[in-house]
């Protein structure tokens, strides 16, 4: 899929959208799930680093 520029995004209309097929919906759900897992992991790493830094500074 080609990237859209800001002008193209702002010119979208309702006719530019369509219902996703069940396969596309499933793929999108998996993509979102893995993005969320990645964010959770990154947040855990940041918290761990903050705790370690706080422990070292005490």
């Amino acid at each position: 899929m080609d990237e859209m520029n800001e002008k193209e995004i702002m010119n979208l209309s309702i006719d530019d959208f369509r219902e996703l097929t069940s396969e596309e919906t499933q793929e999108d759900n998996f993509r979102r799930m893995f993005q969320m897992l990645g964010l959770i992991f990154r947040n855990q790493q940041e918290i761990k680093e903050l705790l370690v830094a706080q422990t070292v500074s005490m």
Side-chain angles (χ1 to χ4, degrees), residues 15-55:
D15 295 329
D16 295 316
F17 297 91
R18 63 174 174 77
E19 290 292 321
L20 297 178
T21 65
S22 61
E23 184 177 328
E24 288 172 325
T25 301
Q26 184 178 19
E27 289 174 3
D28 192 50
N29 288 340
F30 276 117
R31 180 186 57 79
R32 290 174 194 229
M33 179 183 68
F34 284 112
Q35 284 178 335
M36 291 178 72
L37 289 172
L39 289 173
I40 291 168
F41 178 76
R42 188 170 66 196
N43 286 341
Q44 288 177 334
Q45 293 300 105
E46 289 175 6
I47 291 168
K48 179 181 174 184
E49 290 170 8
L50 289 171
L51 291 172
V52 167
Q54 187 177 27
T55 304

